[in-house]
Amino acid sequence: MGSIEERARNFLGVLRHCQFLGMSVEQADEKGLLLKLPYDQRIVGNPVTGVIHGGAITTLMDTCCGISTVCFLPTFEICPTLDLRIDYMRPAKPNMDIFGYAECYRVTSTVIFTRGVAYQTSRDEPIAHVVGTFMRMGQPDSKGGISRAIDGGAA
């Protein structure tokens, strides 16, 4: 099995919509995950202000919280989003990348609880706060190519 950062990169690599958005793993360890959403004119929500659409930020944070489960769990498990709440604090500044940070703060046998922030220059100046819950459905069967790919084996 690869490092936590490798597992996070592998997971992000199988999510086609994240590839389209240009997301990348900046850091991943047992404490949490940091993703980057690069600024791109294609995801601007308001052409007058140049501000990135909130849907792209929601995607960033759902993905960040979801992949943070891979950072915490010892092996890949299927964990779909149960609930995601995002509180937008202010609009993002145009022409700047957005970072998403998430961590798992409680894990039960059925649910994983995550929290995080979206920001541009400092976590102390968040664009948004997020809390998410993810259902633990266990490991895919041994034929699951996606789990082998995420855990560092051949798909």
Side-chain angles (χ1 to χ4, degrees):
M1 181 179 356
S3 70
I4 291 173
E5 191 163 318
E6 181 182 357
R7 292 175 75 210
R9 288 183 201 284
N10 291 343
F11 194 163
L12 188 64
V14 299
L15 302 175
R16 303 284 294 154
H17 63 291
C18 295
Q19 293 171 7
F20 174 79
L21 291 170
M23 286 185 202
S24 61
V25 174
E26 296 296 298
Q27 182 181 346
D29 57 31
E30 63 282 345
K31 296 177 187 169
L33 174 70
L34 180 65
L35 296 182
K36 179 172 86 171
L37 173 65
Y39 185 85
D40 189 315
Q41 287 292 327
R42 296 176 298 170
I43 58 174
V44 166
N46 183 338
V48 174
T49 64
V51 172
I52 289 179
H53 190 280
I57 298 170
T58 297
T59 300
L60 169 68
M61 296 314 299
D62 183 37
T63 303
C64 195
C65 287
I67 296 178
S68 75
T69 66
V70 169
C71 296
F72 192 85
L73 297 172
T75 58
F76 176 72
E77 292 184 30
I78 297 172
C79 299
T81 307
L82 278 174
D83 186 55
L84 188 77
R85 177 189 168 94
I86 299 181
D87 293 321
Y88 286 94
M89 310 308 287
R90 61 180 178 81
K93 294 175 184 165
N95 300 306
M96 291 179 65
D97 299 338
I98 298 176
F99 296 91
Y101 174 79
E103 63 182 355
C104 297
Y105 67 93
R106 179 158 161 63
V107 177
T108 71
S109 62
T110 56
V111 178
I112 299 175
F113 298 84
T114 65
R115 61 184 165 214
V117 294
Y119 66 94
Q120 288 179 299
T121 56
S122 169
R123 286 188 205 168
D124 295 329
E125 298 175 16
I127 295 166
H129 288 272
V130 62
V131 290
T133 53
F134 294 81
M135 180 188 306
R136 292 182 74 177
M137 297 182 69
Q139 296 176 325
D141 64 34
S142 62
K143 298 175 188 172
I146 189 169
S147 64
R148 285 194 307 273
I150 289 167
D151 278 338

